[in-house]
Structure formats: C-alpha cells, structure tokens
Amino acid sequence: MLGLRKIIHIDMDAFYASVEQRDHPELRGKAIAVGWDSDRGVLTTASYEARKYGVGSAMSSVIAKKKCPHLIFIPPNFEKYRKISQEIRAIFYTYTNLVEPLSLDEAFLDVTHNKKGNPSATLIAKEIREAIKKETGLTASAGISINKFLAKIASDINKPNGQKTIPPENVGAFIDGLDVKKFFGVGKVTCQKMYRLGIFTGKDLKSKSLGFLTQHFGKTGQHYYDIARGMDMSPVKAHRIPKSLSAESTFSKNLSSEVYMLKHLQDIAEAVQKRLQKNHLAGKTVTLKIKYSDFNIQTRSKTLTDYIASKELILDTVKELLYQERLRESVRLLGIAVSNFNNQEVKEELPEKKKEIYMQLELEF
Ligand code: TTP
Ligand code: MG
C-alpha cells in the first residue's frame, strides 16, 4: 500500500449562479441563469432551481427560455468570480502546494503529504468545504480517492454540498459498476462507440484486451485499459507560479535620449503593473533591461525593502536604474521585470517522524 496517493477533487456548486444568489438575496430559491438574454446568448450556468426545467450550462438563451419561461437572466461578473476563485485557492494552499486548478471553480489537490499532517483525505475535504462555506458563503462538493480520474468522478456523486470517498479497497468494485458514460474523458461519441462494442460498464471495459482496445481506440486504448483497472498515475500538476513578470518594447527607431526612453518606460511599467494585478502579485526586485543598437544586452536591478506592484513605484525605481550609469550607445529595446514575489512557496519538508506516521496510517482515507 505504500506509494498510494490521496487525491481530492473540489468543485463548487452551480458556481456563478450561487455567487449571484448569494449577493442578491431576492434571487435565492429562484430559477436563474448567468448569461445574456439575447438571441445569440449562451448560458454559462444555471441555478439548481432552473436545472429542474432542464436548463443548463452552454445552452442557448432562447432554448433556456422555452424550457423555463420565468427564468431570470443575470449578466456575468467574471471579475467577481475570479476573486472568489482566488479565495478558494488560498484555502487549498493551507493544506498543500500541489493544487491543480481546472477552471475557476474546480481543482485537484494531492494531500498525500499535507501541511496539517492530517492522514485522512476525507476529513480534509470536509474541512475545506466548511472553510469555503465560512469564508465565501458558498457550497462545494468533493470527491476523494487514489487518483485524479476517480476523485473527479466521485465529486459528482453527492453534489450539491456533499462528498464521496472511494477508498482503495472499493476502487475495483466502483469501477466495475460504473457506466462508461460517467468515465472522465469519455465523450458522447466514444461512449456510443463503446456501447456498440458491448462495453457498458467498467467491468465490460476490463474484460477487453489491450490489443482489442488499441485496435478500436488507437493510442487512447491504453488509457482505457489502465483506467478500467483503477490506474491513473497522472500527477497533480501544481499551477506554476512565475518567478518574474515583465514587459518590453522594441523601438522602430533607436533612442539615445533618456527623456524619450522615460516616455516608453511609462507604458512598459503600466503593462507590468497589469500583469502583476492579474496574478495578484507584488515584487521586491525591479530589473531594467537595455538592448543597445549593437544588440548587446545590459540588465540593471535593484531590490527594495517593500513589495511593490504599482506603475508609479515601479517607474521610480526604473528611473533610478536608468540614470545610474551612462548609456553606451543608442538603445533599440527596453524592458522592465519585477521579481522576488510575495508568494514564494514555503518548501515542504516532511520531518522524519511524520513520515513514519504516514506510513502507519496509509490505509486511512
Ligand atoms: P461547472 O463546475 O461545470 O458548473 P457549475 O459549478 O455551474 O455547476 P455544478 O454544480 O454542476 O458544478 O462550471 C463552473 C462554472 O464555469 C459555471 O458556474 C459557469 C462556468 N461555465 C461556463 O462559463 N461555460 C460552460 O460551458 C460551463 C460548463 C461552465
Ligand atoms: Mg461546479
């Protein structure tokens, strides 16, 4: 049992619609859709009250209104959803750095070794859902198992506001009984093809040889062969946090006056500011990159005592760097980078003692 992973898939319930119902109490308990009420509009999602009428994500507004004439349309507010998404992710990071967001409202977490030293992924999922509820007022569902494939399927089972664990000892039986249409990664077309081949459940899939599956599904055959056996080794790929954010500009005419350069640097600093904002980052180190007309590149850096993210503060430091030394010759490109961010991940070192505990409790899910 050593080497077994503990993976959680978290998925917010009717995400955009729940946010709108949270912020507009008069919409609670009502059939609402987030999207534009226009001939060409498409819904992003719908509240559970609307889903009873068959209204759902990616449906055209026209069809949705036919199915549910009293449907209330709410225009989307992506800035708000992104902010809440950040809040949820911040909760995930208190448990593990191995977080792989799939979209604004769902993510995989590998909690095999977690920051709280909690051996039970089931309890962690419960804690996370409670924390999400407390901090955002919204509900989430979770799936817990030994790999991403199973965790993803599991999070749908007790949705909304529920969770489901498929512990290692139940994996075989669970997959055997699973309709292939529920398999993550099996779309409508593949599903129909499987049905035609007499493959309706995981058990049917497992009964087919690798040769048979590759003959009918090409390279993906191997994948189906593996997942029918509960094997999905794909790691939780942590969202890579950039080490620096930058912007640069090449000039149509080489510049030799610092005054002209400063004008361009304002725009470049603004672009850097935007990137920092988008990533919710601030940095301590500012670097000015100068490419001369002979294509030689020079960089000048300064590290500050405080984290900065605004155009003005970036520009102050850039000015200092620009005047720090005389320019050798005319300049064809200028760039600004900000690095040394305020989010540097804490390295996860597992003390020896804790490792032992993990091994003992390996079966605890
Ligand atoms: P989902 O998790 O697929 O849907 P959901 O959270 O609304 O509902 P469920 O309770 O079944 O999880 O997607 C998350 C958000 O992403 C959703 O609220 C709106 C947005 N979205 C789109 O904009 N277009 C789409 O086609 C889908 C599926 C989702
Ligand atoms: Mg969701």
Side-chain angles (χ1 to χ4, degrees):
M1 279 301 152
L2 279 182
L4 213 57
R5 292 179 299 154
K6 294 173 185 177
I7 310 295
I8 300 176
H9 177 253
I10 303 261
D11 189 323
M12 301 295 290
D13 302 323
F15 185 43
Y16 299 177
S18 305
V19 173
E20 297 307 332
Q21 286 181 324
R22 176 194 76 174
D23 296 348
H24 306 278
E26 70 278 12
L27 298 176
R28 291 182 198 161
K30 300 223 167 104
I32 72 159
V34 178
W36 302 98
D37 181 9
S38 69
D39 288 350
R40 303 186 52 188
V42 173
L43 307 184
T44 61
T45 192
S47 65
Y48 285 103
E49 293 84 353
R51 290 185 196 192
K52 284 189 207 135
Y53 295 83
V55 173
S57 298
M59 183 177 279
S60 89
S61 303
V62 175
I63 293 178
K65 255 195 303 192
K66 275 194 193 133
K67 287 182 183 271
C68 178
H70 58 284
L71 188 65
I72 302 169
F73 286 81
I74 310 292
N77 183 340
F78 296 110
E79 198 45 52
K80 186 156 77 177
Y81 311 143
R82 256 195 294 275
K83 222 179 126 237
I84 298 168
S85 183
Q86 294 282 341
E87 288 169 27
I88 296 162
R89 284 179 201 170
I91 295 171
F92 300 159
Y93 286 117
T94 64
Y95 288 85
T96 176
N97 289 338
L98 285 177
V99 176
E100 179 180 344
L102 292 183
S103 66
L104 286 186
D105 93 318
E106 60 181 302
F108 287 115
L109 283 70
D110 186 331
V111 297
T112 317
H113 305 295
N114 58 80
K115 297 181 191 178
K116 312 249 174 173
N118 187 342
S120 168
T122 303
L123 291 180
I124 292 178
K126 195 162 167 278
E127 276 180 25
I128 289 178
R129 290 176 43 242
E130 279 164 6
I132 290 175
K133 176 77 186 158
K134 191 160 161 255
E135 292 204 10
T136 69
L138 301 166
T139 63
S141 297
I144 304 103
S145 195
I146 56 168
N147 59 39
K148 295 204 282 189
F149 173 76
L150 288 163
K152 169 90 181 167
I153 295 172
S155 68
D156 250 350
I157 295 177
N158 290 323
K159 196 174 235 313
N161 198 17
Q163 64 180 65
K164 169 80 182 172
T165 301
I166 303 165
E169 62 273 22
N170 294 358
V171 165
F174 177 79
I175 296 176
D176 279 356
L178 199 66
D179 190 324
V180 289
K181 86 167 175 237
K182 293 258 171 82
F183 275 49
F184 178 43
V186 172
K188 270 202 188 114
V189 178
T190 311
C191 178
Q192 288 310 320
K193 189 168 168 185
M194 287 194 180
Y195 284 1
R196 280 201 302 277
L197 291 167
I199 305 169
F200 299 97
T201 64
K203 195 171 183 187
D204 299 333
L205 190 61
K206 199 157 71 182
S207 73
K208 303 293 177 202
S209 69
L210 180 58
F212 177 89
L213 292 174
T214 36
Q215 181 196 332
H216 289 281
F217 300 101
K219 273 189 203 147
T220 331
Q222 176 77 54
H223 172 66
Y224 297 143
Y225 183 85
D226 291 341
I227 56 175
R229 287 158 181 78
M231 271 160 44
D232 166 25
M233 299 310 288
S234 60
V236 172
K237 290 181 211 83
H239 180 63
R240 235 175 275 145
I241 297 160
K243 286 225 157 32
S244 79
L245 287 172
S246 62
E248 55 182 46
S249 171
T250 305
F251 313 117
S252 47
K253 232 175 96 192
N254 293 340
L255 304 179
S256 42
S257 149
E258 276 98 345
V259 180
Y260 283 129
M261 289 181 205
L262 276 177
K263 271 176 80 176
H264 287 282
L265 284 166
Q266 285 192 9
D267 294 337
I268 302 171
E270 190 169 330
V272 175
Q273 168 184 283
K274 278 200 185 129
R275 282 179 199 172
L276 288 166
Q277 269 169 357
K278 210 173 143 208
N279 288 280
H280 301 270
L281 291 171
K284 261 187 183 175
T285 303
V286 178
T287 303
L288 172 67
K289 172 175 160 186
I290 304 164
K291 192 182 206 175
Y292 290 103
S293 45
D294 63 2
F295 284 81
N296 274 318
I297 292 172
Q298 186 185 34
T299 56
R300 304 173 180 178
S301 292
K302 182 172 178 179
T303 296
L304 311 160
T305 45
D306 292 317
Y307 291 103
I308 60 162
S310 78
K311 174 186 166 185
E312 286 73 27
L313 293 175
I314 294 170
L315 215 50
D316 281 350
T317 312
V318 165
K319 262 187 221 167
E320 227 182 280
L321 293 169
L322 182 67
Y323 289 111
Q324 179 183 304
E325 198 185 309
R326 277 194 51 178
L327 296 164
R328 291 205 303 262
E329 54 182 294
S330 64
V331 169
R332 57 175 282 120
L333 172 150
L334 286 172
I336 300 173
V338 172
S339 56
N340 216 343
F341 294 137
N342 54 344
N343 70 338
Q344 294 310 320
E345 288 182 39
V346 194
K347 280 234 171 65
E348 223 182 323
E349 273 300 325
L350 210 58
E352 278 307 311
K353 253 218 176 114
K354 270 207 182 140
K355 272 186 197 156
E356 271 167 35
I357 298 171
Y358 276 118
M359 287 183 199
Q360 283 165 15
L361 298 176
E362 203 73 56
L363 270 173
E364 199 166 344
F365 238 81

